[in-house]
Amino acid sequence: GYTKGYPDMFIACSNDRHNGLYIEFKSKKGTLSDEQKEVKIKLELEGYSYHASKNFDETINYIKSYLRK
């Protein structure tokens, strides 16, 4: 299984600024748990981009933007 707090998706593609992209999918009312907040900070400090998503179209646009950098 997955490690508690880790995002749902990882795109293993670096860009000019980040080592890869992690994405956490949430419902419209969903929020990050304490574990997810800790993991987010850890991943960002390690040079990864992190995106918490509540909207499919927003996520697609974020991924496209990430891949252009």
Side-chain angles (χ1 to χ4, degrees):
Y2 292 100
T3 303
K4 190 172 184 173
Y6 269 76
D8 300 310
M9 177 184 260
F10 176 60
I11 297 177
C13 180
S14 62
N15 66 17
D16 293 347
R17 299 171 64 195
H18 298 100
N19 298 323
L21 170 60
Y22 281 93
I23 300 172
E24 175 64 31
F25 296 104
K26 291 293 182 191
S27 67
K28 291 185 183 196
K29 294 182 181 182
T31 59
L32 295 179
S33 68
D34 289 340
E35 291 90 356
Q36 288 170 324
K37 290 175 186 175
E38 289 176 21
V39 168
K40 177 183 185 296
I41 292 168
K42 177 184 174 194
L43 292 172
E44 289 174 337
L45 288 172
E46 292 176 358
Y48 293 95
S49 180
Y50 186 104
H51 181 71
S53 172
K54 295 184 179 187
N55 177 288
F56 178 78
D57 292 330
E58 172 193 319
T59 302
I60 295 300
N61 290 333
Y62 191 91
I63 293 169
K64 287 179 180 178
S65 175
Y66 173 85
L67 293 174
R68 280 189 220 114
K69 292 179 183 175

